[in-house]
Amino acid sequence: MDPTNRRIRKIDRDAQRFVAQALGNTDLSLSDYDMIHTVRHRPSVTQEELRRLYCLDKSTIARRAAKLEEAGYIRRLPNPEDKRRKQLFVTERGDALREAKVEAEAFYFDWLTAELEEAELTALVSLLDKLQLRSRDERRQNFCHLLEAYERTHPEEI
């Protein structure tokens, strides 16, 4: 049984809903924010690289990229080495959205933790750091250990 009872994920969803409402960007999904973030950190990333990274089909990535380009958050330019491929870049509007999102998230989490005592907050931060490092390390290894364990305990495909 999940000892957190999925509380971390529920808090994250609430935070993202708050951010979307606070910024007036309720037409952007969490996946849209993720794509902007990825493109910001990987300038000139191709749609094919995003497809592999997110494990999505080409058309889903293309539709999402077109939506974000139309809204002015990213630019899609032909790859100089292969004109059929598109490279993605974040625009100034995309950078501004990212900064506003970070500020709104900080505001939300400051509010959320405001009633915690100093010792509680210190303990929470320490535990979250431990969990985040474990998650990051496994993600950097493409979840190879976690996927092996999952496949051993969940042999059937859906």
Side-chain angles (χ1 to χ4, degrees):
M1 178 110 194
D2 173 11
T4 68
N5 197 19
R6 299 182 41 161
R7 287 176 179 88
I8 294 170
R9 182 69 187 121
K10 289 176 183 180
I11 291 169
D12 181 58
R13 282 188 192 146
D14 289 345
Q16 298 312 314
R17 286 183 183 120
F18 168 77
V19 167
Q21 290 179 12
L23 300 182
N25 289 322
T26 53
D27 61 322
L28 293 180
S29 68
L30 297 180
S31 299
D32 294 332
Y33 282 112
D34 284 344
M35 183 180 276
I36 293 167
H37 177 78
T38 300
V39 172
R40 185 170 184 256
H41 286 279
R42 297 178 183 199
S44 78
V45 66
T46 65
Q47 289 180 188
E48 176 59 22
E49 291 167 328
L50 289 175
R51 185 198 67 74
R52 285 194 310 269
L53 180 67
Y54 292 134
C55 299
L56 296 170
D57 59 77
K58 286 169 121 177
S59 61
T60 300
I61 293 295
R63 278 192 308 273
R64 188 171 297 148
K67 171 187 171 182
L68 294 175
E69 182 179 41
E70 186 177 313
Y73 297 116
I74 66 170
R75 288 179 298 148
R76 292 188 298 171
L77 301 173
N79 183 328
E81 297 169 9
D82 181 353
K83 302 290 185 204
R84 295 170 298 161
R85 296 185 186 270
K86 301 285 188 188
Q87 293 180 310
L88 283 67
F89 301 88
V90 171
T91 63
E92 286 183 28
R93 185 172 189 210
D95 276 334
L97 176 67
R98 175 69 182 140
E99 295 306 315
K101 181 180 184 282
V102 167
E103 288 179 28
E105 285 173 341
F107 185 87
Y108 178 84
F109 286 110
D110 284 346
W111 168 83
L112 186 65
T113 59
E115 294 182 3
L116 295 179
E117 295 178 17
E118 189 65 33
E120 292 173 319
L121 186 57
T122 300
L124 176 63
V125 169
S126 176
L127 292 170
L128 289 172
D129 282 346
K130 188 174 183 176
L131 293 175
Q132 192 272 324
L133 289 173
R134 178 175 164 91
S135 178
R136 184 204 64 200
D137 290 347
E138 186 65 17
R139 175 181 43 86
R140 287 183 175 170
Q141 297 176 54
N142 293 316
F143 302 103
C144 63
H145 305 103
L146 192 56
L147 287 169
E148 286 175 15
Y150 185 82
E151 288 169 5
R152 279 194 307 274
T153 60
H154 298 78
E156 294 182 26
E157 269 189 48
I158 296 177

